[in-house]
Amino acid sequence: MTNAIEIRNLTRRHSSTTALDSVTVSFEAGVIHGLLGRNGAGKTSLMSIASGQDWPTSGEVTVFGERPHENEQVLPRICFVREDQRYIEDSLARHAFAAAAMAFPNWDQALADRLSEDFRVPAKTRIKKMSRGQRSAVAVIIGIASRAELTFFDEPYMGLDAVARQLFYDRLLEDYAAHPRTIVLSSHLIDEIAHLIENVVLLDRGRITLDEPVDRLRGRAVTLIGAADTVRELTDFRQVLNTETLGRLTRATVLGALSGPEEQRARAQGIEVLPVSLQQLIVHLTSGTAGDPAEGSTTTTTPLRDINTEVAS
């Protein structure tokens, strides 16, 4: 296994705020990684430093085995596009693409032209006069057509509507299959990108709390709904991420799949066993009320709403 990015003990402070706190993580080459976390978790800081656009307060970062900062051998192999992407004043889309063609050795102009048609990017409208969705389209086109060996997407597609976002996912996956490279996607739309990403890196308050292949996360957590005593019996020896109660009825989300016999017994006792989506798992792991999973204090008790409807469905 070859890693495109190696990060060791990385810390980044902004005045009195610590964006990254002794982060150690690696990103395998040739993989689509999901960099997930709440606003302010440190995602943009990590990508900015790994792409050579910001400097760490302390720690080490290597990309393709070298330090990326002011490194002319590494920087042309990295593309970093973000939601607030900036362009030359009064430029058209074709000007942005021409600049990208000079910056990225693997730039594919024919692909950029096809994507411009797919996303309906106006040819004669200056970028600063475009709608948010059109500006987002220009950014994602640069990210895909650059075919950079390492591409960061810091939510530039958030301005796209649902149809255009699906088009982005389809075109990205299509080109990635034909031209494999390392891609890091930052997104709050976790369920939308779940089918794209192969590995999840979860940041919470500047620290890595999860770094695992998506396949391992499937079935990592389950939700149990039913009589409080029975649910409590099933969750006694498990890490509880969230608990909601209403009278004698309890809904608990726990780490760890039930064994076959456990699930059979649960269902026989009237317990509903529901899978937990990747987005739900991430929400539970990063919830301010759920506590730090590493410390084992994750149980919360909140009002249970509409549980009868959910059980019935």
Side-chain angles (χ1 to χ4, degrees), residues 9 15 55 58 60 85 109 135-136 144 148 159 174 184 222 231 242 247 249 253 260 269:
N9 300 316
S15 299
W55 292 83
S58 62
E60 296 182 0
Q85 192 75 17
Q109 185 60 47
R135 291 195 302 272
S136 293
I144 297 174
E174 178 184 286
V184 179
V222 293
V231 171
N242 180 262
L249 206 57
T253 299
Q269 294 177 316

Side-chain angles (χ1 to χ4, degrees), residues 76-110:
R77 302 165 69 185
I78 304 173
C79 180
F80 182 17
V81 289
R82 60 178 81 201
E83 185 178 9
D84 59 350
Q85 192 75 17
R86 296 183 180 181
Y87 304 95
I88 298 173
E89 185 71 14
D90 291 332
S91 62
L92 303 172
R94 62 182 175 85
H95 298 139
F97 298 152
M102 291 187 288
F104 303 111
N106 296 329
W107 176 262
D108 189 320
Q109 185 60 47

Side-chain angles (χ1 to χ4, degrees), residues 154-175:
D154 189 10
E155 300 193 288
Y157 40 86
M158 290 298 288
L160 301 174
D161 60 31
V163 173
R165 285 199 308 274
Q166 187 59 54
L167 180 61
F168 163 66
Y169 303 144
D170 291 344
R171 295 296 180 268
L172 177 64
L173 195 57
E174 178 184 286
D175 202 65

